[in-house]
Amino acid sequence: MIDAGPLLRAYARRRSAQLAAVDPVAAQRAVLRRLTARAMQTPFGRAHDFARMRSVADYQRAVPLRDYDAFWAEWWGAAFPRLAGITWAGPVPYFAKSSGTTGGPTKRIPVSPSAIRANRRAGLDVLVHHLAHRPESGVGAGMALILGGSTALERLAPGIHAGDLSGIMTAELPLWAAGRTFPPRDIALLGDWGEKMARTAEGSLSRPITSVSGTPSWMVLFFEQVAARRGGGRLAHWYPDLELVVHGGVGFAPYRDRFTYWLEGSHAETREVFPASEGFFAIADRGDGEGMRLILDDGIFYEFVRPADLAGASPDRRWIGTVETGVEYALVVTTNAGLWSYVVGDSITLVDLHPPRALVTGRTSWSLSVVGEHLIGAELDAAVAAAAKASGVTVADYVAAAVLPDAGDQRAGHVFLIELA
């Protein structure tokens, strides 16, 4: 395998210089201007008078907040799956299946070629931030182990497919990445998760793995699969060249102690990312828990709304030019796949503005409030992590629910069902 390190380091130097020069407010204004110009002649653009927009305020007055159900009812449902030219001027060859709601059917989020290219560049930005921290990294000399769902795609119409975003990105893998990812196509297509993990564990042990990525829960289960095949050990023994563990998708706090265990003796570092079916939003450029840097210059315009305001007639809609740190917001995005002021469903808090860095605090629909305590996902994660540490145990997963007062017990509270490792 050819060492891609020199090319990767050259790219990283150039991209790092670009990121250092980004003015957050100017970058977001420019992104919104490009997006509205691209969609100006679509039915959506004409209905919202994109041709006359000159500012963020113009855009926010003309385009209301919408969730998936509203887009489906007003714009996508009648034409599905042929959405080219409706809310986005270009083709829409893919739909990312997402179950990011608390109940309801699976969503199918439009994915355009522009969005695919932006996702690729975000993946490279993960390596850019890694190389900024470790300039002599050898991550480009090995293979990336990717733990995701099935890469099989469902054919909806000629040239239009749906599936997990990981499957879409695998189908659109650029030539330079061929042979640099694991598992191979025959394993990646498997729908049986147990079989897929078993074959991935067995096959990866003979590969020069330099990075691993996935959700923390999946990675922990995978590490256990590998340990069972090797009679124990840790990541340092199985993958001696491992440098980078990329995690995202769920809160990391309940899994931090288990990762500390599996990474003991390894020189690998962890790096959090914030990807979604709607786009790749942010990447950690500093230490664990210090916030993820928003990607401001590549096809996504961000708005921030307090969760309690989402259902209001005139919500207070902030953007990078007006947002505040330390406030919990629902994330709203406008993207290069034809999502306009789309309520993602994730809640975040910004910890910095120059550059903007965010912590994911949970889902807007995930909270516990029996007597007005309004606990969010991040607080529940922190409580479980603290209890586990105090009890000397390691958590595999947990669920929490409300306990309401009744005739037998007038007290209100919460019940946690915790699965130990």
Side-chain angles (χ1 to χ4, degrees):
M1 179 183 297
I2 298 174
D3 184 359
L7 287 175
L8 184 58
R9 282 189 283 273
Y11 175 85
R13 286 193 294 270
R14 186 173 74 252
R15 178 60 174 155
S16 292
Q18 290 176 345
L19 290 171
V22 167
D23 177 290
V25 172
Q28 282 286 274
R29 282 198 180 111
V31 165
L32 183 61
R33 186 166 55 248
R34 289 195 296 269
L35 293 173
T36 54
R38 178 72 181 273
M40 189 181 299
Q41 299 305 320
T42 64
F44 189 93
R46 292 193 296 271
H48 295 84
D49 208 8
F50 280 6
R52 300 183 64 179
M53 285 182 184
R54 299 294 182 269
S55 67
V56 172
D58 290 344
Y59 174 80
Q60 292 179 326
R61 279 192 294 268
V63 180
L65 303 181
R66 288 182 174 91
D67 60 11
Y68 177 82
D69 291 336
F71 265 102
W72 183 266
E74 297 174 42
W75 293 98
W76 298 337
F80 182 83
R82 295 178 173 86
L83 298 192
I86 295 178
T87 61
W88 185 245
V92 181
Y94 295 106
F95 291 87
K97 293 182 178 180
S98 171
S99 56
T101 57
T102 55
T106 298
K107 299 185 292 184
R108 295 171 187 252
I109 308 298
V111 180
S112 69
S114 298
I116 290 170
R117 290 191 291 271
N119 271 279
R120 286 178 187 163
R121 289 189 289 265
L124 285 172
D125 276 357
V126 175
L127 299 180
V128 168
H129 292 310
H130 175 66
L131 286 167
H133 187 240
R134 294 188 178 181
E136 301 306 316
S137 166
V139 70
M143 301 181 72
L145 175 57
I146 302 172
L147 302 176
S150 171
T151 60
L153 299 177
E154 172 192 1
R155 184 178 184 271
L156 302 177
I160 303 175
H161 295 81
D164 289 346
L165 186 60
S166 58
I168 294 170
M169 296 309 297
T170 298
E172 293 288 335
L173 202 64
L175 290 176
W176 59 263
R180 294 187 176 276
T181 61
F182 194 86
R185 180 175 175 79
D186 62 320
I187 298 177
L189 285 169
L190 292 173
D192 185 309
W193 195 87
E195 181 185 358
K196 181 176 182 177
M197 288 299 98
R199 292 182 59 182
T200 299
E202 190 66 37
S204 66
L205 291 170
S206 61
R207 276 25 180 225
I209 301 298
T210 54
S211 68
V212 179
S213 61
T215 64
S217 53
W218 286 19
M219 283 194 281
V220 165
L221 291 173
F222 176 76
F223 298 157
E224 292 170 354
Q225 289 261 2
V226 178
R229 279 160 176 74
R230 295 301 290 264
R234 313 273 174 100
L235 285 164
H237 307 117
W238 313 325
Y239 307 121
D241 299 319
L242 184 66
E243 288 195 16
L244 178 62
V245 176
V246 182
H247 64 88
V250 299
F252 191 57
Y255 303 95
R256 185 173 284 112
D257 287 346
R258 299 191 75 188
F259 273 76
T260 298
Y261 170 82
W262 289 115
L263 287 167
E264 184 178 342
S266 171
H267 64 285
E269 66 175 15
T270 58
R271 191 164 296 278
E272 187 173 8
V273 294
F274 186 10
S277 299
E278 295 84 359
F280 204 131
F281 303 138
I283 303 163
D285 64 335
R286 299 193 301 191
D288 181 29
E290 295 185 68
M292 293 174 281
R293 179 171 177 162
L294 291 177
I295 301 173
L296 301 177
D297 59 348
D298 202 3
I300 300 176
F301 176 78
Y302 303 92
E303 294 178 83
F304 311 90
V305 180
R306 291 177 185 261
D309 290 348
L310 287 175
S314 301
D316 180 15
R317 295 165 62 174
R318 303 296 181 99
W319 65 291
I320 289 299
T322 58
V323 72
E324 299 176 356
T325 59
V327 177
E328 188 191 20
Y329 293 106
L331 183 63
V332 177
V333 297
T334 290
T335 78
N336 51 10
L339 308 182
W340 303 93
S341 292
Y342 179 97
V343 181
V344 176
D346 291 301
S347 57
I348 67 168
T349 297
L350 290 173
V351 295
D352 286 308
L353 294 179
H354 302 287
R357 295 186 178 92
L359 292 173
V360 178
T361 57
R363 299 283 295 175
T364 55
S365 52
W366 292 356
S367 64
L368 276 180
S369 188
V370 188
V371 291
E373 67 274 29
H374 299 299
L375 291 177
I376 60 176
E379 292 168 327
L380 299 176
D381 286 349
V384 170
K389 184 175 182 179
S391 303
V393 299
T394 304
V395 174
D397 212 339
Y398 79 93
V399 63
V403 176
L404 302 176
D406 57 28
D409 191 339
Q410 293 297 311
R411 296 173 298 175
H414 311 129
V415 57
F416 287 77
L417 305 179
I418 298 175
E419 177 187 1
L420 301 182

